[in-house]
Amino acid sequence: MKAVGIIFSNIHDNNVPELARIRTLGSIPFAGRYRLIDFPLSNMVNSGIDTVGIITKNNYQSLMDHVGSGKDWDLARKDGGLIFLPPFSDLENDSLYTTRLEALKGITSFIFRADEEYVVMTDCDTVCRINYNDVIESHIKNHADITLVYKKLNSKDIIDDSAITDFTLDGDRITNISYLSEPKNTEMNVFINVFVMKKSLLQNIVMDSISHNKHHFMTEIVAKSLKSMKIMGYEHKGYYMGITSLLAYYKSNMSILEGKNRHELFGDRSVLTKIRDSAPTTYGNSAIVKNSMIADGCSIEGEVENSIIFRNVKIARGAVIKNSIVMQDSVIGEKSSVNCMILDKNVVIRDKRVLSGSENHPFYIGKGIMV
Amino acid sequence: MIRKKKCVAMLLAGGQGSRLYALTNHMAKPAVSFGGKYRIIDFPLSNCVNSGIDTVGVLTQYQPLELNDYIGNGQPWDLDRAFGGVHILSPYQAKTSSDWYKGTANAIYQNMHFMKQFDPDYVLILSGDHIYKMNYSKMLNYHILNGSDCTIAAIDVPKEEASRFGILNTNPDGTIYEFEEKPKHPKSTLASMGIYIFTAQKLFKYLEQDSKNPASSNDFGKDILPTMLSCGEKMMAFQFEGYWKDVGTIDSLYEANMDLLGDVPKFDVTDSSWKIQSRSPLAPPHYIGNSGKASNSIIMSGCEIYGNVENSVLASSVIVKKGATVKNSIIMSDVVIEENCQIEYSIIDENTVICANAKVGEPKESGKGIAVLGRNITVVSGGVVEGGSMVDKDVVKEGK
């Protein structure tokens, strides 16, 4: 049951344009020390997948810097391991891909070369822990052609008004796929962008799309084959957060402050990430910290509540940080107040500044900006 | 092309560290945890890398497993090199003999072939039980400029402590004319830091000579250095200024940890121009709950704090539950401190569990000293560990 992994690092960049302007969706920082790609990548490694192709498109410097040779995921291998798949263009086709299927057309040689029987494809907008072996097992048991992973959600679980891919199921079989512009009142089976199929099938689909000039994997292939192929659903039952917008990104981070979620994601320490060296975090005599997650290398002298603080952040005496996400190397000056904010890397808030968003409209400050 | 290294470092890491008692039952002293994130050996190793020395032999002997595991291929220090890098050198069986390392000099002598394969001009000898940041390349330049055969790093110590150290008596130009090992009436306050640079050929010559002398105890301080001096070799003292601490005792290890705390810590590990590298644990950022409090403390990733932490150093993945207080203490990784425990003036080693309502240690003012708990033990609910006690098995005694 060997499988090869494919991770789409750029698809859904438009979900969070603020954060993805300077990086791929996959390299968006998350939960104090991680990047979004750590979740699918760790899921793959923990499911025994040791050949993983990462499809990139643009702004992938931060991603390459993060993933490197793959050694922190044990993917720096002589045979297989981590393979970067930057966009491929030739004389006939020099434009960048815009859809999943076009991206796959650009990596035909990678797909052909893989000698694993199955392929697991996933995006970086999904924060969850999932054992892909269980999905493959269900795929085999169901004699499925394609298995798509979904999560049962109610309208109250939907954070924003981005489009929802909803499955209608007959048993495990998907009989209809609808795209909702607003959540239904009943329970929905929301697609979480994880695909499992035989590698040979993916190969055929890609070759067929090249010759018939197809562009969309879900609408032109999956949705049209619901009758001719056995397309099955697999329910993911654990923690799941979809990074569908800046608000969803904010709420997903905040959800980690809940013990249950935190322990489910990180309890067994199996989410792998690039190891960077920082000194330990030091707390001054005046520090007050409540319900917050704080990474290494910080120096905390002010007050922090309901917040996620990334590495090497300095919070001066008298500063108050509430309900906020503060990324790496940012500095908060004395007596400043920051509430419901997302501060990107290297932001400097000078002394006595007052900044506030609201819980449903967190305010974002871009990388390197000084306020 | 003949490949060579200008300077090879040899790090003596075989010491048992018997004065650290319960902390070194299962591992060598250089592997002892320090400052929440580090091990003692991170300091000499990082100093080497930061000084441009990329070939380091680590000589192990006592309980080497943990240390070997920790050093691995040297990747955290950038010492996974194709030529050079870090090498673990343990005692081995040779065709005609097999010996444990008898003394510090003998340990280096037995690994002469290791040094020779890099054809070094100079050899730096280090020990794995000091906490300090030092640029060895400055010392090497001093050695070369003075045409010295052996240069010994030295630090000024207070007069009243001088009799605890090996004291170097020097001429005004820095040349050494006499060694005094722990003198009762020290003539100077310049103490040897146990860091030596030798011109390689001289070192090899004296090691060979020493190995043939059955009366020798094969020790650098007792044998090699005095012999070199009496043979008229040029020996210099290189004066070091800055933080340096021998962490060979429970009290000094405790003090060195506490020196990391405060508004202006005595010893700064956050200095980005002289980074101390270490093998980092894989854990999420630490979490402080609504009932948690941390002041004047160091807290590492993976910790979950629901109690009160004050003037303490917590290594990774320590759990402090609600109502518990941790004061003036050093807690190593994966320790669990349950509800309403009181920890005061203690050192608790890895994986130990303190069950609810237990009391460990007593305030410094009690004069009883630091309570030390070894690894993998359990203190029962309501258990009491008195100040100054040294515990390496489960505590079942309940308080009154």
Side-chain angles (χ1 to χ4, degrees):
Chain A
M1 259 189 5
K2 285 291 280 179
V4 60
I6 296 176
I7 297 179
F8 296 81
S9 70
N10 280 95
I11 285 188
H12 313 297
D13 277 4
N14 295 334
N15 287 5
V16 202
E18 298 89 345
L19 291 162
R21 193 177 58 80
I22 46 161
R23 47 172 87 88
T24 63
L25 188 90
S27 45
I28 291 178
F30 189 80
R33 81 173 285 186
Y34 303 93
R35 306 267 183 160
L36 288 179
I37 197 168
D38 292 340
F39 297 93
L41 202 50
S42 304
N43 284 337
M44 291 204 170
V45 172
N46 294 329
S47 305
I49 296 176
D50 55 15
T51 302
V52 180
I54 299 181
I55 302 187
T56 63
K57 182 174 167 188
N58 43 24
N59 295 337
Y60 51 86
Q61 185 266 334
S62 61
L63 188 72
M64 294 191 69
D65 178 47
H66 179 69
V67 177
S69 63
K71 75 177 157 48
D72 289 317
W73 293 262
D74 230 349
L75 285 176
R77 305 285 182 93
K78 283 189 173 171
D79 189 14
L82 189 96
I83 295 152
F84 254 89
L85 303 166
F88 182 85
S89 67
D90 54 28
L91 288 175
E92 288 150 34
N93 179 15
D94 63 352
S95 59
L96 290 173
Y97 69 83
T98 54
T99 65
R100 186 185 305 280
L101 194 51
E102 286 171 11
L104 288 168
K105 287 180 192 170
I107 62 155
T108 44
S109 61
F110 173 80
I111 299 172
F112 271 76
R113 210 175 335 117
D115 54 10
E116 287 82 357
E117 190 176 0
Y118 292 93
V119 50
V120 175
M121 302 199 297
T122 174
D123 300 345
C124 292
D125 65 335
T126 309
V127 180
C128 70
R129 294 226 2 227
I130 181 168
N131 187 340
Y132 296 126
N133 285 325
D134 295 344
V135 187
I136 297 172
E137 251 169 55
S138 141
H139 179 86
I140 294 170
K141 201 181 84 221
N142 284 329
H143 304 287
D145 292 305
I146 299 177
T147 297
L148 304 175
V149 180
Y150 67 90
K151 169 87 187 160
K152 282 192 191 297
L153 294 175
N154 289 306
S155 59
K156 67 168 173 53
D157 304 322
I158 306 286
I159 291 164
D160 50 54
D161 50 8
S162 58
I164 298 159
T165 308
D166 178 33
F167 296 150
T168 311
L169 293 167
D170 174 15
D172 278 344
R173 185 158 184 172
I174 298 171
T175 54
N176 188 35
I177 299 175
S178 42
Y179 298 93
L180 311 175
S181 55
E182 54 187 55
K184 292 194 292 196
N185 287 326
T186 55
E187 198 173 54
M188 292 163 288
N189 303 314
V190 177
F191 181 40
I192 64 171
N193 298 323
V194 178
F195 306 73
V196 168
M197 68 196 87
K198 275 207 165 144
K199 189 215 99 168
S200 51
L201 176 65
L202 179 66
Q203 202 169 309
N204 292 342
I205 289 174
V206 171
M207 294 322 284
D208 181 63
S209 331
I210 291 174
S211 44
H212 293 96
N213 206 18
K214 291 181 185 163
H215 297 283
H216 294 278
F217 198 89
M218 283 302 278
T219 52
E220 286 183 82
I221 308 214
V222 177
K224 288 196 174 145
S225 315
L226 290 176
K227 291 208 172 67
S228 58
M229 285 203 278
K230 229 177 154 188
I231 299 189
M232 311 296 281
Y234 173 90
E235 187 191 351
H236 168 63
K237 292 201 171 93
Y239 173 88
Y240 157 82
M241 280 300 218
I243 310 298
T244 47
S245 65
L246 189 68
L247 180 63
Y249 169 77
Y250 174 75
K251 299 256 176 181
S252 305
N253 270 285
M254 293 302 156
S255 76
I256 305 290
L257 294 178
E258 276 169 47
K260 182 179 158 286
N261 296 336
R262 199 170 54 250
H263 294 141
E264 191 178 331
L265 267 185
F266 304 119
D268 64 357
R269 305 280 189 263
S270 64
V271 181
L272 309 167
T273 187
K274 180 184 174 102
I275 306 253
R276 294 196 190 251
D277 271 321
S278 302
T281 286
T282 53
Y283 288 91
N285 282 316
S286 51
I288 302 172
V289 180
K290 295 220 173 319
N291 191 36
S292 295
M293 212 174 176
I294 292 167
D296 286 348
C298 295
S299 150
I300 314 277
E301 301 201 24
E303 201 176 316
V304 183
E305 202 179 323
N306 303 331
S307 295
I308 310 261
I309 312 291
F310 283 69
R311 291 184 324 116
N312 301 343
V313 169
K314 298 216 169 352
I315 298 175
R317 207 172 282 255
V320 180
I321 316 290
K322 282 188 179 165
N323 310 309
S324 295
I325 299 168
V326 182
M327 291 187 205
Q328 196 179 321
D329 297 322
S330 290
V331 179
I332 316 288
E334 282 181 28
K335 294 184 183 152
S336 283
S337 163
V338 173
N339 183 30
C340 296
M341 302 287 293
I342 299 172
L343 309 184
D344 208 317
K345 286 165 79 168
N346 273 308
V347 166
V348 177
I349 308 289
R350 279 176 284 194
D351 295 354
K352 296 178 188 162
R353 298 291 189 272
V354 177
L355 299 164
S356 184
S358 78
E359 251 171 67
N360 287 317
H361 292 281
F363 194 77
Y364 169 77
I365 293 184
K367 187 174 173 178
I369 288 177
M370 189 182 276
V371 180
Chain B
M1 191 187 79
I2 302 161
R3 298 224 279 174
K4 67 178 275 130
K5 296 279 182 191
K6 186 175 169 193
C7 183
V8 167
M10 299 294 275
L11 207 168
L12 296 158
Q16 180 177 354
S18 52
R19 283 172 301 158
L20 292 180
Y21 309 101
L23 301 179
T24 49
N25 274 349
H26 303 286
M27 60 187 185
K29 183 158 64 170
V32 168
S33 158
F34 176 80
K37 162 163 187 152
Y38 309 99
R39 309 268 190 150
I40 296 169
I41 198 169
D42 288 333
F43 292 85
L45 273 184
S46 300
N47 286 339
C48 279
V49 176
N50 293 340
S51 307
I53 296 168
D54 60 10
T55 307
V56 185
V58 177
L59 296 104
T60 62
Q61 175 152 300
Y62 171 78
Q63 295 275 12
L65 281 182
E66 178 121 356
L67 193 60
N68 294 357
D69 218 31
Y70 183 70
I71 293 172
N73 66 353
Q75 182 267 324
W77 302 269
D78 245 349
L79 286 174
D80 49 339
R81 304 291 175 97
F83 183 64
V86 67
H87 296 257
I88 304 268
L89 304 169
S90 39
Y92 56 90
Q93 195 166 25
K95 197 166 182 182
T96 52
S97 65
S98 66
D99 279 318
W100 292 101
Y101 296 150
K102 278 181 292 225
T104 49
N106 178 257
I108 304 292
Y109 171 73
Q110 288 200 35
N111 289 291
M112 202 113 92
H113 64 100
F114 168 79
M115 296 182 278
K116 282 184 173 166
Q117 65 180 325
F118 299 104
D119 188 21
D121 298 326
Y122 307 98
V123 176
L124 169 66
I125 309 283
L126 300 167
S127 63
D129 40 15
H130 301 127
I131 300 290
Y132 63 110
K133 294 189 283 189
M134 179 175 180
N135 191 338
Y136 302 133
S137 64
K138 282 188 182 157
M139 180 172 166
L140 183 58
N141 283 341
Y142 179 85
H143 178 88
I144 296 169
L145 279 176
N146 285 293
S148 176
D149 298 307
C150 171
T151 301
I152 301 172
I155 190 164
D156 229 359
V157 292
K159 189 138 195 158
E160 56 275 19
E161 285 180 31
S163 53
R164 282 176 37 218
F165 294 93
I167 295 297
L168 308 176
N169 296 324
T170 57
N171 298 313
D173 66 349
T175 49
I176 299 167
Y177 67 86
E178 191 186 13
F179 295 109
E180 287 184 293
E181 193 61 28
K182 298 182 181 151
K184 283 216 178 77
H185 305 288
K187 282 181 229 156
S188 90
T189 54
L190 211 52
S192 164
M193 297 162 66
I195 301 166
Y196 318 118
I197 289 179
F198 290 93
T199 300
Q201 291 316 318
K202 296 274 179 181
L203 175 68
F204 297 159
K205 180 180 140 195
Y206 282 95
L207 284 177
E208 293 275 7
Q209 248 178 45
D210 180 68
S211 73
K212 293 191 186 101
N213 176 5
S216 169
S217 57
N218 307 114
D219 187 86
F220 273 102
K222 290 189 197 117
D223 305 295
I224 300 283
L225 299 178
T227 312
M228 282 181 78
L229 193 65
S230 63
C231 291
E233 303 292 356
K234 189 170 185 187
M235 303 184 77
M236 306 280 299
F238 173 78
Q239 196 157 349
F240 172 77
E241 276 163 18
Y243 185 94
W244 178 80
K245 195 133 202 157
D246 183 325
V247 286
T249 63
I250 292 287
D251 286 312
S252 61
L253 178 69
Y254 177 84
E255 270 172 41
N257 273 281
M258 291 300 146
D259 286 343
L260 301 171
L261 301 178
D263 286 342
V264 184
K266 283 191 191 148
F267 185 54
D268 180 17
V269 283
T270 59
D271 175 9
S272 58
S273 66
W274 201 265
K275 247 184 153 177
I276 306 301
Q277 311 284 1
S278 68
R279 195 175 282 280
S280 301
L282 183 79
H286 64 264
Y287 173 80
I288 300 191
N290 278 320
S291 54
K293 189 173 184 310
S295 62
N296 192 35
S297 293
I298 279 178
I299 296 180
M300 269 297 287
S301 53
C303 291
E304 301 246 330
I305 312 294
Y306 303 94
N308 188 4
V309 178
E310 226 180 288
N311 305 326
S312 296
V313 175
L314 269 60
S316 79
S317 301
V318 170
I319 296 172
V320 180
K321 294 194 178 165
K322 218 170 172 172
T325 55
V326 178
K327 273 189 194 168
N328 307 311
S329 295
I330 298 163
I331 315 291
M332 300 187 188
S333 55
D334 299 297
V335 167
V336 179
I337 296 168
E338 293 188 346
E339 287 83 0
N340 305 319
C341 284
Q342 288 175 42
I343 316 291
E344 167 90 45
Y345 201 42
S346 303
I347 299 178
I348 303 180
D349 205 352
E350 289 171 24
N351 278 312
T352 283
V353 179
I354 317 290
C355 297
N357 305 313
K359 225 177 142 234
V360 177
E362 287 169 61
K364 193 175 180 184
E365 298 72 50
S366 75
K368 289 188 175 166
I370 301 166
V372 179
L373 299 188
R375 52 173 56 191
N376 295 322
I377 61 177
T378 304
V379 175
V380 287
S381 177
V384 174
V385 176
E386 279 177 34
S389 43
M390 193 71 57
V391 182
D392 56 5
K393 44 182 169 299
D394 292 356
V395 174
V396 290
K397 190 176 85 178
E398 279 188 43
K400 286 149 207 148

